[in-house]
């Protein structure tokens, strides 16, 4: 019997998503050693944190050569959009590293909302009607906005750390924000602005792992972006998530599969895009039909913290199957219980906040406490970001899972801690 290969793995990123991925990778007997770059105060318990920035491709490549890395798992979107997979493929000493993530061309499905929209139009994938404008045709954009139905959705074309989407309730507000965006409100990300039809419905997220031809579908999730309870206030990177999603039934998933997932992967194949990694479909249920709001080229955060604990499969084996083109031989096994994730944030987030605050963690909790914005000194665990922890609990009912996560979030101690106590309550059976 042929011995199964063990992998020396480097995971890029420092958030809750990466802690959840590290937690899952470490469970695999196929993972012989795990490095996390740069990691956080929690990932160091699962592997070796290394002080490398995900955008420093040269330093990452040197580390992979030095440590004989077999597999590179890319957590965040910026290095993917920046072309890290292409960099590895071009480098003679790095080309054999199994990269979990698409090429730059594939990552542009997230890196440019205009390019993603064009792709969806070419392949008849249901999405909102849109137009894209830049400084070169700014006047045309203004005229378009003056006639547009309300509300009006404005999106920065490029990466804007999850903050580049605005829903304007009046044409005056839309015109003002449009000018500010083209004027650099989101830096180069809003050099072009996508003006989009507003779709009224309820959002959910679907994730697949694909080699660009075959795919497997992971558990479905729903996240909560607004900072305030009752879905009020500013957008954040995500204040919580739940999985599964009660309103996403077999009929809805069949529509998602036939109308969205399969045409997307067929489009990737037709256009000869090198894509080996995750696709995150940000979807909205309008009436009884799903529409695509956006693509992401990686797993979501905090959705990963709800999805990964429900995945029973060995993640390293799934990555290996993707690499060898045998994903269609894999059967995804999912824990039937509910997973509920509640994010503990620094006071002031998503605006200005203070870091370096000491943290006290509860003992004896059966919740999973994924670190997001933390760092470990020689003696103390300190806050080091806007979103500090993602607390995930599992139970037979959503209400029970949420109650566990809220209790654990309440027991985590640091000054000015904030968390939403209503995550998932809109979906709890009354």
């Amino acid at each position: 019997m042929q011995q199964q290969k063990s992998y020396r793995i480097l995971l890029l990123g420092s958030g809750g998503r990466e802690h959840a991925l590290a937690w899952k990778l470490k469970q695999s007997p196929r993972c012989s050693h795990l490095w996390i770059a740069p990691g956080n105060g929690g990932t160091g318990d699962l592997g070796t944190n290394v002080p490398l920035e995900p955008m420093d491709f040269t330093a990452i490549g040197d580390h992979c050569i030095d440590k004989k890395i077999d597999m590179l798992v890319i957590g965040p979107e910026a290095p993917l959009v920046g072309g890290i997979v292409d960099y590895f493929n071009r480098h003679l000493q790095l080309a054999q590293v199994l990269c979990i993530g698409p090429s730059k061309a594939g990552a542009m499905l997230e890196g440019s909302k205009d390019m993603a929209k064009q792709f969806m139009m070419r392949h008849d994938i249901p999405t909102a009607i849109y137009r894209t404008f830049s400084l070169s045709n700014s006047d045309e954009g203004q005229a378009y906005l003056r006639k547009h139905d309300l509300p009006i959705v404005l999106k920065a074309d490029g990466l804007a750390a999850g903050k580049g989407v605005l829903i304007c309730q009046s044409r005056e507000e839309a015109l003002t924000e449009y000018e500010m965006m083209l004027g650099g409100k989101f830096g180069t990300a809003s050099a072009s602005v996508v003006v989009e039809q507003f779709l009224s419905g309820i959002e959910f997220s679907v994730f697949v792992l694909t080699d660009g031809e075959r795919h497997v579908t992971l558990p479905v999730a729903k996240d909560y972006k607004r900072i305030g309870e009752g879905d009020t206030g500013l957008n954040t990177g995500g204040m919580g998530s739940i999985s599964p999603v009660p309103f996403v039934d077999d009929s809805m998933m069949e529509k998602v599969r036939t109308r969205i997932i399969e045409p997307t992967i067929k489009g990737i194949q037709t256009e000869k895009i090198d894509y080996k990694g995750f696709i995150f479909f940000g979807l909205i249920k309008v009436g009884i039909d799903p529409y695509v709001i956006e693509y992401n080229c990686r797993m979501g955060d905090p959705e990963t913290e709800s999805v990964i604990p429900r995945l029973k499969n060995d993640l390293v084996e799934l990555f290996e199957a993707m690499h060898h083109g045998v994903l269609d031989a894999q059967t995804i096994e999912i824990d039937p219980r509910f997973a509920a994730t509640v994010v503990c944030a620094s006071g002031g987030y998503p605006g200005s906040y203070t870091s370096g605050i000491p943290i006290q963690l509860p003992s004896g909790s059966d919740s999973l406490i994924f670190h997001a914005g933390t760092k470990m000194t020689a003696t103390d665990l300190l806050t080091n970001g806007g979103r500090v922890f993602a607390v995930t609990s599992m139970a037979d009912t959503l209400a029970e899972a949420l109650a566990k996560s809220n209790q654990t979030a309440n027991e985590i101690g640091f000054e000015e801690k904030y968390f939403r106590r209503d995550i998932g309550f809109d979906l709890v059976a009354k």
Side-chain angles (χ1 to χ4, degrees), residues 204-270:
F204 63 104
S205 304
V206 172
F207 307 89
V208 305
L209 180 66
T210 182
D211 60 10
E213 183 177 346
R214 292 154 290 267
H215 75 279
V216 291
T217 303
L218 304 181
V220 179
K222 173 175 170 52
D223 79 328
Y224 293 78
K225 282 285 192 287
R226 300 280 186 173
I227 186 66
E229 294 186 3
D231 279 334
T232 58
L234 296 173
N235 267 336
T236 70
M239 292 301 295
S241 61
I242 60 101
S243 177
V245 181
F247 64 83
V248 181
D249 57 16
D250 291 344
S251 174
M252 176 60 67
M253 279 307 296
E254 180 65 11
K255 291 177 181 177
V256 171
R257 181 182 68 82
T258 58
R259 301 179 189 180
I260 294 170
I261 296 175
E262 290 179 354
T264 296
I265 294 173
K266 186 177 180 182
I268 287 170
Q269 193 176 356
T270 300

Side-chain angles (χ1 to χ4, degrees), residues 161-175:
K163 299 174 183 177
V165 179
L166 303 174
I167 300 173
C168 302
Q169 301 299 326
S170 70
R171 293 182 182 87
E172 292 73 20
E173 179 190 7
L175 285 162

Side-chain angles (χ1 to χ4, degrees), residues 144-165:
Y144 185 72
L145 286 171
R146 289 190 181 98
K147 298 177 181 178
H148 203 285
D149 291 340
L150 295 174
I152 302 171
V153 181
L154 302 179
K155 294 183 176 182
D157 177 49
L159 298 179
K163 299 174 183 177
V165 179

